[in-house]
Amino acid sequence: MSGARGSSGSRDYRLDFFRGLALIFIFVDHIPDNVVSYATLRMVAFCDAAEVFIFISGYTAALVYSRAIEREGAAMGIARIYRRVWQLYVAHLCLFMIFNAEVAYAMKFLDNPLFADELQIGDFQTAEGETFIRVLLLQFQPGLLNILPLYIALLLILPFFLLAMRCSVGLTLTASVALYVVSWVMNWNLPGFPHGNHWYFNPFAWQLLFVIAACLGRAAGLGRHPLADWRWLPRLALVIVVIAGAIRLSWMAHELFPDIPLYIRLPTAWFDKTDLPPARLVSMLALAMVVAHYVPRTARFLTSRMGWIIVLCGQNSLAVFCLTIVMDVMASLALTLTGGTLLSQLLINALGIAIMFAAGIMLAWFKGAGQIPVRPMSVLAT
Amino acid sequence: MIARAAVLLLALTGPAHAEPLVCGAPLSFNVTRDQLPATQAAITRKSLSVLVLGGAAATGEAAHNPEDSYPARIQARLRAVLQGVDVTVTTRAAARRPTIDILKSLDSDLSTARPALVIWGLGGSAAARGEDTDAFTDIVSDVITRSRRAGADIVLMTMQYAPALSHIVNFGPYRLATMHSGDVAGVPVFDRYDMMRNWYNDGVVNLDATGKQDRINVARRLFDCVAEAFTTGLTHALR
């Protein structure tokens, strides 16, 4: 997704930077038993990198595609969205093949009677015909393969929301909130596989975050500032972010050092990722508000040497995202083979992030026809 | 009160503490005295009934001998430590069972065994089946409530660590749900997953063994390690 430009015409590198950062967190968080994952967003907020990724994706998708619709007409704009959907679908199928290979490898250890309870995860390899259909229908979502189906589902419905927003943003948001509430009350979710499972990311719930982000992104694209009149909002958001951070840190302290008592006990259902409960949603929106308000577009770190590499990763998010999922599978495998020592954990994280950076730079170079986009030095300062 | 404490003290200063721990200290079992009122009372009465609920691991089939299952090893170790106390460990376990199935027989199991202490090993089959974590959490709190209503203390035990599988089966959410449920209800959690990972990394148990007899030996050693860690943590808390 390119062309994330704000109202002033200059590109908002904060979007690229924080999407790049979210991708790094997604990579780190999805390596099981990984010490580095204690240093990611989920430890200081009720939401995690998944929310950030979906929020920024919704924001930039609306920004880019609503412009495409204005410029080239609704049909061509929608065609561009569905071409993206197809790319994501192909990427998902490719990732499934890699996952399947890993299961085949692990089957060697699976026949140990000690792990009889877990034996059934190998069952799908003995029922291949059915499984392949379920994969094609996005119903079978093992392990790490649940984020892309959500993104695909959200992009599939994006055209309807974008067209609805042209008529009335208020009505679109109302419809989105209504769908969120009704799906919660009625327990709606898409069916998964094996029978009885559901989507890990419930699209009926997650669409709300995507649509809110899309409304904001579209407004930015049109040069509007819909929240500018509510001057108290950033301060409220800051309070929410600080409170959530304090609670989350107290939990981490308890997790790491059981001697520290658990001061605040909240029901786990409040934070269940599947249905994006209000605590996670509000935490994410507050975080976005705080960053939008307190991190200036001209912040130096965005164009520092390291910051710029992260920006380049964020600008090539689909490719880098798929790479992180493939590398997560590889990293898991490598950790299994090396016994998961602290040193191998650190090395694997460092190597993975280095590969992400290299991919970001390479893709930027390719897109720029042999030129890596130059770090803006003074443009932003003016 | 003082007499009770004296009995407890006598019961708990058995010879076991003189022996060094074979598998290492039970670092991932945080349990305190006030979480075990029924167990304390039962030890004072000199009759302790323990009910173990669980999946494949609790059946002990991998060890090929009922005497080597971890519930049987817990019974043996508790008897050694709690001298003069009549310790009985009953097991109700089945492999590859959905978590919800535990509720079918729980009340009758509780009234038959009349346990002062329930140990529930859970999460492995739930993760393999990809059960809904919300529903999983609800079942855990239901089992805690019913056990307490039956007058028993309860200890939750996280699933087994499986090196080749932990990267394919998504154990994390079920392990965390188990730990959080324990925290919220004030119930001790025996983090078997964490301990097994440490034992595996430290070379205490070779979970990658492939030979048939090797695997049986590993399972026997593992179940004894679980029993040792559990008994040590429990008696330390009660001391």
Side-chain angles (χ1 to χ4, degrees), chain A residues 255-271:
Chain A
E255 204 175 310
L256 291 176
F257 308 101
D259 289 340
I260 299 174
L262 195 66
Y263 293 109
I264 299 160
R265 296 177 179 191
L266 298 172
T268 47
W270 287 14
F271 307 101

Side-chain angles (χ1 to χ4, degrees), chain A residues 28-51:
Chain A
V28 169
D29 284 341
H30 284 93
I31 303 174
D33 305 325
N34 181 14
V35 65
V36 183
S37 70
Y38 280 101
T40 62
L41 179 64
R42 69 192 179 95
M43 285 300 162
V44 290
F46 291 148
C47 60
D48 62 26
E51 276 93 348

Side-chain angles (χ1 to χ4, degrees), chain B residues 5-88:
Chain B
V7 172
L8 256 178
L9 203 67
L10 273 176
L12 293 171
T13 44
H17 291 296
E19 295 168 22
L21 292 169
V22 179
C23 315
L27 296 173
S28 317
F29 184 27
N30 199 33
V31 53
T32 54
R33 191 190 176 86
D34 57 325
Q35 290 171 319
L36 303 164
T39 312
Q40 278 192 78
I43 293 172
T44 314
R45 284 197 311 271
K46 303 224 167 236
S47 168
L48 174 64
S49 168
V50 180
L51 173 65
V52 178
L53 306 169
T59 65
E61 270 179 28
H64 271 244
N65 179 6
E67 294 302 303
D68 289 316
S69 69
Y70 78 77
R73 294 305 304 148
I74 285 178
Q75 174 172 286
R77 284 183 170 272
L78 279 178
R79 281 180 180 168
V81 181
L82 302 171
Q83 283 180 358
V85 180
D86 178 22
V87 181
T88 327

Side-chain angles (χ1 to χ4, degrees), chain A residues 43-59:
Chain A
M43 285 300 162
V44 290
F46 291 148
C47 60
D48 62 26
E51 276 93 348
V52 177
F53 184 73
I54 293 298
F55 180 89
I56 298 182
S57 294
Y59 189 99

Side-chain angles (χ1 to χ4, degrees), chain A residues 201-212:
Chain A
F201 291 100
N202 184 350
F204 295 115
W206 280 74
Q207 54 79 26
L208 179 57
L209 177 63
F210 194 73
V211 170
I212 291 173

Side-chain angles (χ1 to χ4, degrees), chain A residues 234-312:
Chain A
R235 261 166 289 161
L236 175 70
L238 190 61
V239 170
I240 292 172
V241 166
V242 168
I243 291 176
I247 294 177
R248 202 65 194 74
L249 279 173
S250 80
W251 289 348
M252 176 166 73
H254 173 74
E255 204 175 310
L256 291 176
F257 308 101
D259 289 340
I260 299 174
L262 195 66
Y263 293 109
I264 299 160
R265 296 177 179 191
L266 298 172
T268 47
W270 287 14
F271 307 101
D272 183 52
K273 210 165 169 178
T274 296
D275 290 320
L276 189 69
R280 295 188 73 111
L281 180 69
V282 170
S283 174
M284 176 61 228
L285 294 177
L287 201 63
M289 173 55 78
V290 165
V291 169
H293 194 263
Y294 294 103
V295 178
R297 292 165 70 111
T298 54
R300 283 275 174 81
F301 68 88
L302 296 172
T303 50
S304 68
R305 199 175 291 271
M306 183 62 87
W308 190 243
I309 297 177
I310 296 177
V311 164
L312 295 182

